[in-house]
Amino acid sequence: MSGSAIDDLRRAERFVERALEARRRIAVAEAAEVALLAEAHAWVRSLDAQGTTSHGSDLAARDLAAQLGAATRIGDRTVQARMDAAASLSTLLPATLAAWQEGAIDRRHVSVIVDASAGLFDDDARAWFERRVLAQAKETTATRLRPIAVALAERAHPESLADRHARARVARRVIVANSADGMARLIADLPAVEAHGIVDRLGAMARAVRDAGGDAAADSRSLDELRADVLTDLLLGADPVAHGDGLAGITGHVQVTVPVMTAVAGSTEPCVLAGYGPVPLDDALRLAGAASGWDRVMTHPVQGAVLAVDRYRPSEQLRRFLRARDEHCRFVGCRLPVWRSDIDHTVDAAHGGATRPDNLAHLCRRHHVLKHASAWSVIQTQAGVLRWTSPTGRTYTDRPAPAARFISHLDPPPDPDVAMPPPRRGPYFRPDPTPPPPF
């Protein structure tokens, strides 16, 4: 390697080190502000508890929020809401705040953890969840952490997902939100399985409309525009406009993992909708019953890692296995789904790489090109576990999503002071207070 190339690598590494230090300082400073707001909240609540005023139960809090807001040029209502959120974080998730103060995680990780834990009212369940989600938060991006956190919270929740889903279904609705320039937003609150199926089917129809046109110049609409137009045509008319012959056969495609013991023995292991997270067993079984064929996914009994996929009438076994294992692009932090990614040989086939699960992984086009056209390199230390090395020598390990979603070998050792989550039981409902605003 030439001296110029070595100098470039050293400079790149200095940029990485400086960026890491800057992000750490930002995280520490933001956490310090939250800790300060939590301290202020505790102080003003103690003043308000003394009952020295007849003008409301939170006059001291409002007074301090007004002072802080005026000084920092932030609305006092916003400041007071942030004080409430800071107090909730320091009280309910103290280990999360501590990790933030150390710079081990950042604001986005904290927001994901707070959102996922919103329904955990039991102290033991919340402590069990926090310990495990923090182990994952320190290893991955906030985007990838979200489905992991949701799944861990589902494990810790004392009420079954089926009961909560039945209650939440009552809130399904369709609303219109007006926006500028003669536009409006159509919003539908639906069960997750149906919503993801609708979006997938709209995408398939949009691509069929685009491909049926033939003349690209005559129809310059983007896929987003086509999806919106297909939705409008379906709801206001009978069929999409200018559709091809194949549209009638298009159905939504969703990938659902149904643990066999959940299906046959009533286990509480959740069914998982790829791209979303846990879904009710009834919805998963309804999809399985309507499927033309089943992919049987064998997973590790402890780690949850996909071990194999087959079908009673095999076809494209290896592709199905990789889709079930990977779920998304396997570059560090990327969440682009498998259907928008390429299947890449970790060791190129031209160099003798075998077409086997331990030498294949999904990469989106951006990271596929990066792997082949830059100094980034990757190996599979074991089937499905990718270790990426940057041009400056930093290493990053990316594990299959199902392995990380459940209690994996990254799980921290048992803590005798943290109990396992309580067993699921029947109806369990407390009025959900208004959640604090995100950080």
Side-chain angles (χ1 to χ4, degrees):
M1 184 180 294
S2 68
S4 176
I6 293 174
D7 288 343
D8 288 342
L9 286 178
R10 287 174 177 168
R11 187 173 185 184
E13 177 62 16
R14 285 196 296 271
F15 276 123
V16 172
E17 291 175 350
R18 289 165 60 192
L20 283 173
E21 179 58 22
R23 291 302 306 169
R24 189 194 68 80
R25 289 200 303 266
I26 290 170
V28 169
E30 290 178 333
E33 181 185 32
V34 169
L36 174 68
L37 291 175
E39 182 183 351
H41 182 278
W43 176 59
V44 294
R45 286 303 179 198
S46 68
L47 295 179
D48 284 326
Q50 297 173 12
T52 57
T53 177
S54 60
H55 296 285
S57 60
D58 66 341
L59 185 60
R62 281 184 277 169
D63 179 28
L64 183 58
Q67 294 184 57
L68 292 172
T72 58
R73 298 183 299 281
I74 301 174
D76 60 295
R77 288 183 176 84
T78 299
V79 172
Q80 190 167 353
R82 289 181 180 177
M83 290 168 61
D84 292 340
S88 295
L89 179 66
S90 64
T91 302
L92 302 179
L93 298 167
T96 300
L97 178 56
W100 192 6
Q101 290 174 307
E102 295 167 0
I105 58 176
D106 63 21
R107 179 183 294 272
R108 292 172 301 170
H109 291 95
V110 174
S111 180
V112 168
I113 294 171
V114 170
D115 289 346
S117 66
L120 299 178
F121 302 108
D122 184 273
D123 292 340
D124 290 339
R126 190 166 52 250
W128 184 93
F129 160 81
E130 185 180 27
R131 180 171 172 78
R132 281 149 183 83
V133 78
L134 280 177
Q136 303 292 340
K138 295 174 182 178
E139 297 286 336
T140 191
T141 64
T143 302
R144 281 199 177 180
L145 179 65
R146 189 172 299 278
I148 297 171
V150 169
L152 285 172
E154 170 57 30
R155 275 193 172 226
H157 206 290
E159 185 185 16
S160 72
L161 176 59
D163 290 342
R164 301 191 330 264
H165 179 72
R167 190 166 59 245
R169 281 182 63 93
V170 179
R172 63 190 185 277
R173 60 178 181 168
V174 177
I175 60 175
V176 174
N178 293 326
S179 55
D181 303 321
M183 300 293 287
R185 177 165 293 179
L186 183 67
I187 303 170
D189 292 321
L190 301 171
V193 168
E194 296 172 13
H196 281 258
I198 288 170
V199 169
D200 185 82
R201 187 166 188 248
L202 285 174
M205 287 183 166
R207 288 188 291 273
V209 169
R210 180 192 60 189
D211 297 342
D215 184 3
D219 191 344
S220 60
R221 291 176 292 177
S222 67
L223 276 177
D224 280 338
E225 291 176 283
L226 284 169
R227 279 190 287 264
D229 292 346
V230 168
L231 176 65
T232 302
D233 294 335
L234 285 172
L235 294 181
L236 296 181
D239 294 296
V241 174
H243 63 273
D245 294 336
L247 283 183
I250 294 175
T251 57
H253 173 270
V254 294
Q255 176 180 312
V256 176
T257 300
V258 182
V260 65
M261 294 309 296
T262 298
V264 303
S267 167
T268 59
E269 188 71 36
C271 305
V272 177
L273 171 64
Y276 174 75
V279 294
L281 173 62
D282 289 346
D283 284 352
L285 292 181
R286 180 162 54 86
L287 286 171
S292 58
W294 292 7
D295 286 340
R296 185 172 58 187
V297 181
M298 277 68 76
T299 60
H300 191 285
V302 176
Q303 297 178 358
V306 175
L307 301 178
V309 173
D310 65 8
R311 183 178 274 197
Y312 294 112
R313 287 190 283 269
S315 67
E316 297 184 323
Q317 282 187 330
L318 193 52
R319 290 180 179 274
R320 291 198 307 276
F321 171 84
L322 294 170
R323 287 196 297 267
R325 185 194 72 186
D326 291 347
E327 294 191 3
H328 49 66
C329 169
R330 297 298 309 285
F331 185 76
V332 182
C334 186
R335 285 277 299 169
L336 210 65
V338 290
W339 50 87
R340 295 180 59 188
S341 302
D342 305 323
I343 296 178
D344 172 69
H345 285 75
T346 305
V347 177
D348 293 352
H351 297 157
T355 305
R356 300 187 318 220
D358 58 357
N359 191 51
L360 296 172
H362 281 88
L363 296 179
C364 69
R365 188 57 53 86
R366 172 187 176 91
H367 295 125
H368 198 169
V369 171
L370 187 72
K371 170 181 178 279
H372 290 284
S374 75
W376 279 89
S377 63
V378 61
I379 62 172
Q380 291 203 37
T381 58
Q382 54 183 293
V385 179
L386 275 63
R387 187 170 70 199
W388 290 87
T389 303
S390 76
T392 59
R394 291 179 178 270
T395 60
Y396 308 90
T397 299
D398 188 80
R399 294 177 174 81
R405 182 180 293 121
F406 302 107
I407 304 174
S408 70
H409 53 285
L410 284 180
D411 198 40
D415 186 338
D417 297 327
V418 178
M420 288 291 287
R424 298 184 189 277
R425 43 189 182 268
Y428 176 98
F429 176 68
R430 299 180 192 174
D432 191 2
T434 302
F439 289 98

